[in-house]
Amino acid sequence: MSLSLLLPLLLLLLLVSLQAGSSEACNPKTDFGIKQPESLSAPKRGSICISFSYFHCWDLATDPRLSVALRRTQFHGETIYNSTGPFIHEDYKNRIALDLNGQNSGTLCISNLRKEDENRYFFRVQVRTLRDGWHLWQSIPGTKLTITDAAQMTTEGPTTTTLVAVTTITKDMSMETVVRVALPIAVFKTAILGLVACLWWKRSKVQLHSQPPLGPSAMGSSHRVANDLSSQSCRKELDFSTSSSKTPKMTKPGLA
């Protein structure tokens, strides 16, 4: 198959696979979650900032009315902060603040830490979508906060990702979804490799046919050059031996 026919075929195959994969790459029923650190530690009377980010597949309303809340102790534990209102628990008055970084992430900081603040904290997010109404989901493992007595640097554990709703706990994406996402990437890489191989083969073929053969005249020229070099070398050796034979002998002083 010629290169002019192979290239359009590869591009068509790539376009079809991308369209098939993109239609199933995001499932609003399962593809949402919250990421936050697994564990943190900070000294007593110090400060701590718990970072979080969230993702989803819904189209948000013009005014999504984002609401971020924080619970402590357990998944259905007591709410200590809610950006709607706003609400701050009595134990955290004048010590807690939320800072949103755009639409999908933020940090919640607690200052003047006490030993009683050592707990597990769970973020919860609520948004209004364009066609599906309100949606609310929450982290499952949360973040374990440890308060130390000695002053030391804040440490952060690995970040965990959870896919969870308040009333329904979901699992990771199904294998079918993963395959549909990975298929367009594999097809794209295969198409690129095939195109590169065809270009290399055609270029090497053109170079092979365009190289002229070594004719008799070229071979004769190379033989003449080799003979000339050999003759010059012999003449140099002869001149050197002749000059060596004419060199006078040196006598030691006082023996002449």
Side-chain angles (χ1 to χ4, degrees):
M1 183 181 294
S2 64
L3 183 61
S4 59
L5 295 177
L6 181 61
L7 182 58
L9 181 61
L10 291 175
L11 293 176
L12 180 61
L13 180 61
L14 176 61
L15 180 61
V16 172
S17 63
L18 287 176
Q19 289 179 348
S22 61
S23 61
E24 298 292 340
C26 190
N27 186 349
K29 295 182 179 180
T30 57
D31 297 347
F32 58 91
I34 296 178
K35 297 180 181 180
Q36 61 182 96
E38 183 178 341
S39 62
L40 292 170
S41 66
K44 189 177 179 180
R45 294 184 295 275
S47 300
I48 190 69
C49 290
I50 308 175
S51 61
F52 70 96
S53 62
Y54 61 93
F55 58 93
H56 58 81
C57 283
W58 301 294
D59 293 326
L60 297 181
T62 305
D63 181 13
R65 298 185 184 181
L66 171 65
S67 175
V68 178
L70 189 68
R71 287 180 167 178
R72 67 179 178 183
T73 308
Q74 57 182 350
F75 184 83
H76 295 290
E78 186 178 19
T79 300
I80 64 170
Y81 176 85
N82 195 326
S83 61
T84 303
F87 167 76
I88 300 177
H89 192 278
E90 186 67 28
D91 293 346
Y92 299 86
K93 286 290 184 182
N94 302 319
R95 297 197 302 125
I96 195 168
L98 174 67
D99 182 18
L100 293 177
N101 304 324
Q103 285 284 338
N104 295 60
S105 63
T107 55
L108 194 143
C109 299
I110 306 174
S111 60
N112 193 19
L113 290 170
R114 309 166 184 171
K115 191 63 177 178
E116 296 80 14
D117 295 332
E118 184 169 292
N119 216 322
R120 188 171 290 275
Y121 295 90
F122 305 82
F123 277 104
R124 186 183 68 188
V125 174
Q126 180 176 339
V127 294
R128 188 175 68 166
T129 63
L130 187 62
R131 289 177 291 271
D132 300 314
W134 289 92
H135 282 278
L136 184 150
W137 66 103
Q138 179 177 313
S139 169
I140 294 178
T143 299
K144 172 62 177 175
L145 176 61
T146 302
I147 306 299
T148 60
D149 294 328
Q152 62 185 34
M153 294 182 61
T154 301
T155 59
E156 180 176 345
T159 300
T160 59
T161 304
T162 59
L163 304 174
V164 58
V166 169
T167 55
T168 306
I169 300 176
T170 62
K171 301 296 183 181
D172 294 336
M173 288 189 299
S174 63
M175 181 60 66
E176 181 182 1
T177 303
V178 175
V179 171
R180 288 175 177 173
V181 172
L183 178 61
I185 300 175
V187 172
F188 177 76
K189 291 183 177 180
T190 303
I192 294 299
L193 291 175
L195 180 59
V196 171
C198 288
L199 291 174
W200 176 84
W201 176 79
K202 191 166 186 178
R203 183 175 180 182
S204 61
K205 185 177 180 181
V206 170
Q207 291 179 351
L208 181 62
H209 286 291
S210 62
Q211 185 175 0
L214 187 63
S217 59
M219 294 178 62
S221 299
S222 62
H223 283 303
R224 286 195 296 273
V225 171
N227 292 333
D228 291 341
L229 292 176
S230 178
S231 300
Q232 292 177 6
S233 177
C234 291
R235 285 198 296 270
K236 288 182 179 180
E237 291 179 359
L238 182 61
D239 293 341
F240 178 77
S241 60
T242 305
S243 61
S244 299
S245 62
K246 293 180 180 181
T247 302
K249 292 185 177 180
M250 295 182 64
T251 57
K252 295 183 179 180
L255 299 178

